[in-house]
Amino acid sequence: MTIPVIRPWLGEEEAQAAAEAVRSGWVAQGPRVAQFEQAFAEYSAAAEGVAVSSCTTGLHLALHLLGVGPGDEVVVPSFSFIATANAARYVGATQVFADVDPLTGNLTPDTIEAVLTSKTVAVIGVHQGGVPFDVDAIEAVCSKHSLALVHDSACAAGSTYRGKPVSAGASLAAWSFHPRKLLTTGEGGMLTTSDSDWATRLRRLREHGMSVSAADRHTSSGVKLESYDEVGFNFRMTDIQAAIGLVQLAKLPDVIARRRELADRYHKLLPEIDGLRWVSDPEYGTTNYQSFWVVLPDSYEGTVVDVLEGLLARGVSARRGIMAAHLEPAYSRVDLPVTEYLTSRSVILPLFHQMTEAEQDTVVTALAEIVR
Ligand SMILES: *Cc1c(COP(=O)(O)O)cnc(C)c1O
């Protein structure tokens, strides 16, 4: 039996909720989506939630809403899932990769300022692997240069910044409910925003630009004709997904408490491996430990692939660390020393709700054997 890197925590309750949505006959975007939007916005201390089909479509819609387009540059970390950079391309803009902080894996005011040009209009800040970026510091640099800030909060549901939910009060934040994240609806995502006019426009844009939603037309007693005032998209979430999301959201506090407990235990066990570094809370917030990554000791001469193979041989499934988009053929190379160091020397260790202490001991013993 191999110890998996992550295992979604889904059960009978989610199956029941999905079945009820099917039996209700309303399977596309409807009342459950509205309910999920409200519950998620409340959980994240956001004014409004707008459910979408994924975090990727959420980021696309956010840049579209801001009017970002051809000729514009959007600063993004390369040290992220590739969807962050792709979002800039979807609207015809150019992504400009900035380097990250070696401890948090996140953009900093300095790394952003190093790549600004007269064409820069926006920054996508990523709370990478659940570790919050320094929101106040990055907001300050964005307002100094009149740049829009979009939070890529894909990994960060349940993380905190200065005592509040991460991205609380953000003008735009995009979240993911892919099974690799801590709250899943299969596929799915959400935009949260502090601006109710934006929320209204986002709701139209995700539904073909329709002035009256299909759900509103259905529940109206009279005839309601819709109009299409601008070109929109089909980025809708389904009520089946939202039904699952509502159950998952209720479980999230338990999931995070358990992850933080297991992460604490890793923090106690890992110091036995000389020179190893690991992810932990930054001074200004807390992570949900969506990814528990370690950076290999400099003294270890093998590669990340050697470590992954060694772990697999010992019954442990791990993953390479966060990818670097600028090293992929879809993009072009630039000089990002910290990103390249982190991506070439880090490994994501197993961490899942049902993980036992014995499994965790196996992981640490295996890693120690390999890198020592
Ligand atoms: C997972 C992830 C995404 C993409 O999320 P989807 O919901 O799968 O589109 C975007 N950005 C980051 C940082 C992610 O980790």
Side-chain angles (χ1 to χ4, degrees), residues 16-281:
Q16 282 287 341
E20 275 164 32
V22 171
R23 287 189 201 106
S24 77
W26 196 281
V27 289
Q29 179 184 287
R32 287 173 180 81
V33 167
Q35 208 185 328
F36 183 45
E37 286 177 337
Q38 212 166 17
F40 189 80
E42 203 166 299
Y43 177 79
S44 341
E48 299 262 6
V50 179
V52 285
S53 51
S54 69
C55 177
T56 305
T57 56
L59 290 169
H60 180 174
L61 206 56
L63 294 181
H64 179 85
L65 174 93
L66 293 169
V68 178
D72 293 334
E73 291 182 356
V74 180
V75 174
V76 299
S78 163
F79 190 66
S80 183
F81 184 58
I82 200 155
T84 311
N86 288 348
R89 291 297 190 87
Y90 298 151
V91 295
T94 303
Q95 86 301 325
V96 174
F97 293 121
D99 214 350
V100 292
D101 173 72
L103 294 179
T104 62
N106 286 327
L107 295 181
T108 69
D110 288 347
T111 66
I112 293 170
E113 283 194 319
V115 298
L116 294 181
T117 75
S118 58
K119 295 180 182 163
T120 315
V121 297
V123 174
I124 304 180
V126 180
H127 302 290
Q128 193 49 260
V131 179
F133 60 75
D134 190 344
V135 178
D136 291 346
I138 289 186
E139 273 180 354
V141 89
C142 287
S143 82
K144 179 173 153 199
H145 299 282
S146 306
L147 309 173
L149 175 63
V150 176
H151 293 225
D152 180 340
S153 308
C155 302
S159 295
T160 67
Y161 180 74
R162 300 205 186 279
K164 289 193 195 143
V166 77
S167 306
S171 51
L172 284 165
W175 309 78
S176 173
F177 307 129
H178 183 272
R180 178 66 184 81
K181 324 297 179 184
L182 302 187
L183 182 175
T184 186
T185 57
E187 294 279 358
M190 184 84 71
L191 279 167
T192 51
T193 175
S194 54
D195 186 317
S196 59
D197 291 339
W198 278 4
T200 302
R201 184 155 171 241
L202 288 167
R203 291 202 176 94
R204 286 181 186 175
L205 282 170
R206 71 159 171 208
E207 193 171 14
H208 306 287
M210 240 183 254
S211 62
V212 184
S213 76
D216 284 350
R217 245 180 309 142
H218 180 79
T219 52
S220 159
S221 51
V223 174
K224 266 194 177 177
L225 295 183
E226 77 282 13
S227 67
Y228 301 85
D229 300 337
E230 59 178 321
V231 176
F233 304 85
N234 179 359
F235 286 166
R236 284 174 297 206
M237 176 183 273
T238 70
D239 255 31
I240 304 173
Q241 292 170 298
I244 295 170
L246 282 162
V247 178
Q248 286 267 295
L249 183 61
K251 287 178 169 181
L252 191 58
D254 278 352
V255 169
I256 289 161
R258 178 63 181 150
R259 292 186 80 78
R260 290 188 55 83
E261 194 176 15
L262 288 163
D264 270 354
R265 203 160 169 274
Y266 267 140
H267 290 159
K268 294 200 177 79
L269 298 171
L270 289 172
E272 75 170 84
I273 305 175
D274 270 351
L276 192 79
R277 275 211 302 116
W278 46 85
V279 61
S280 57
D281 289 333

